[in-house]
Amino acid sequence: MPAHPVFMDYDTPACQAVGQRIRAGAPFVYGLTNYVAAPLSANVLLAVGAAPAIGAAPGWPDGFGARAGAMWVNAAGLINGSVEDMRTAIAAANTAGVPWVLDPVAMGAGVTGYDALIRTLAAGGPAVIRGNASEIMALAGGMGTARGVETTATIAQAVPSGLTLAHRQKAIVAISGPEDHILTPDGQQVVIPGGHRLLATVTGAGCALGGVIAAALAVTPVGPERLMAVATAHALYARAAEMAARNAQGTASFATGFVDALSQLQQVA
């Protein structure tokens, strides 16, 4: 039976500790993502104290995949990259023991060939899979309900599928939404409340979250502490969104304020 959910936020001392480790360790995080999300992803990672490299320049997937503290693979990176680059990076990371995050963007949106490629990436053994409710449900084997890159399912609908996926993949599954749910293979559940609806209006915000999860994994040993690492990334995101929304005049000022807030939170972490 699944465990009762545990609620956490960025004031949780264990979350503060992970944030401090990211700032102190300045981990090298490698990412394969798309050109739409890359600038925000880089700025978000710099704001939290990580050192990002993004893209598939010659030799990077093999070299950086093996040398990074952690890596994230955004399936929408296939817009401007190749599945071979992703497979090379994943193989290099796995050989070197580098944990990596899979973001199955637009999984279940009705593009059969694309969905099949994401399934081959998932078979590579990610430490964490993060996505919205529709993406997680589709990757778990349920009906595809996504509308492009947007979810049409609720968190409540997705949690059972997320638990199934976590158990099957032996990976942590993180579902983003009005409240974020972090699920483990043995049925543990952490819920991160808060955040703000404006996050959904910033292109690449969800994609960049995969990078922050990777940064937290990079400073966390293998084992049960990884659950707190993933929870911290979501809690940091939620708190920064709340801070940014206080003075936002619209979506553009919110996006700038969000990056500022991440930096401010990490400066005092």
Side-chain angles (χ1 to χ4, degrees), residues 7-17 228:
F7 286 78
M8 295 182 182
D9 61 24
Y10 199 62
D11 293 325
T12 302
C15 289
Q16 294 280 323
M228 185 54 60

Side-chain angles (χ1 to χ4, degrees), residues 102-119:
L102 175 65
D103 189 337
V105 177
M107 179 78 189
V111 185
T112 303
Y114 175 76
D115 287 358
L117 287 176
I118 295 179
R119 293 192 187 283

Side-chain angles (χ1 to χ4, degrees), residues 22-23 25-29 42-52 211-212 214-216 218 266:
I22 294 172
R23 174 60 71 187
F28 171 38
V29 178
N43 287 332
V44 161
L45 281 164
L46 289 168
V48 302
V212 179
Q266 283 296 84

Side-chain angles (χ1 to χ4, degrees), residues 115-227:
D115 287 358
L117 287 176
I118 295 179
R119 293 192 187 283
T120 68
L121 297 176
V128 179
I129 300 170
R130 74 137 309 268
N132 64 36
S134 290
E135 292 160 352
I136 295 303
M137 290 171 67
L139 189 57
M143 181 71 68
T145 64
R147 183 180 60 194
V149 299
E150 304 298 331
T151 185
T152 61
T154 67
I155 293 287
Q157 291 171 322
V159 166
S161 295
L163 288 166
T164 296
L165 183 63
H167 179 73
R168 186 178 74 208
Q169 291 275 159
K170 300 297 186 287
I172 294 172
V173 170
I175 311 173
S176 298
E179 60 180 20
D180 300 334
H181 284 242
I182 321 299
L183 314 170
T184 69
D186 62 358
Q188 295 182 70
Q189 300 184 49
V190 172
V191 178
I192 309 296
H196 197 274
R197 61 176 179 79
L198 284 175
L199 263 181
T201 70
V202 177
T203 300
C207 301
L209 176 56
V212 179
I213 294 171
L217 290 178
V219 297
T220 303
V222 176
E225 291 182 46
R226 281 186 171 175
L227 173 60

